[in-house]
Amino acid sequence: MTKTTKQFFDARPESVGQARAFTSEALADWGLPGRAEDIRLCVSELATNALVHGTAPGHGFLVELNTDEDVVRLEVHDSRRQHPEARRAAGTDTSGRGLILVNALADGWGVEDRASVGKIVWSCFKATGGTTA
């Protein structure tokens, strides 16, 4: 059986921590602690990207989690269509590594346009490892 939960967050810096807490609570409620730290780090990175690059003025972002008990799918919805790209940060850069981390921790990730406006950046996490499309 698929379980879903989602929450909208205002475009404020403290929303990133709130998104992490929301994710932790959902995974605990579902009895899925196995990949919780990986998923928490990825929601932090994707929520930060949404906050900094993906939210138009007056808009926030939505975090949605889905699980069928074997896979957790994390989605962050925002209001801009521009797709993020992983980049290679210099050793002295203080940012720019978020998607590299998501790529390393998730079993798969990607970007989809939303029907009306904006995009969804998603990542999937299998309990047993491997890849997810």
Side-chain angles (χ1 to χ4, degrees):
M1 177 164 75
T2 301
K3 299 174 187 172
T4 300
T5 187
K6 54 187 159 185
Q7 186 170 333
F8 180 82
F9 298 93
D10 292 327
R12 300 184 326 224
E14 57 270 21
S15 292
V16 174
Q18 294 167 352
R20 278 193 308 271
F22 163 74
T23 300
S24 294
E25 184 176 315
L27 295 173
D29 287 349
W30 293 341
L32 298 172
R35 302 283 305 270
E37 288 307 311
D38 291 346
I39 298 168
R40 278 175 40 88
L41 182 54
C42 287
V43 77
S44 185
E45 295 299 335
L46 296 181
T48 298
N49 279 354
L51 180 66
V52 173
H53 305 291
T55 55
H59 293 83
F61 61 93
L62 177 82
V63 174
E64 182 173 328
L65 294 162
N66 300 286
T67 184
D68 64 5
E69 296 182 20
D70 292 328
V71 175
V72 175
R73 180 177 167 109
L74 161 66
E75 296 180 356
V76 177
H77 301 229
D78 65 39
S79 56
R80 292 203 168 132
R81 288 243 187 233
Q82 182 178 355
H83 288 210
E85 295 180 22
R87 66 180 184 93
R88 189 159 193 86
T92 57
D93 289 346
T94 58
S95 65
R97 295 172 184 83
L99 292 177
I100 300 296
L101 289 170
V102 170
N103 189 55
L105 296 172
D107 294 308
W109 76 277
V111 183
E112 301 170 8
D113 289 331
R114 289 175 58 200
S116 56
V117 64
K119 66 182 170 301
I120 301 166
V121 183
W122 59 267
S123 54
C124 288
F125 305 84
K126 286 186 176 182
T128 59
T131 59
T132 302

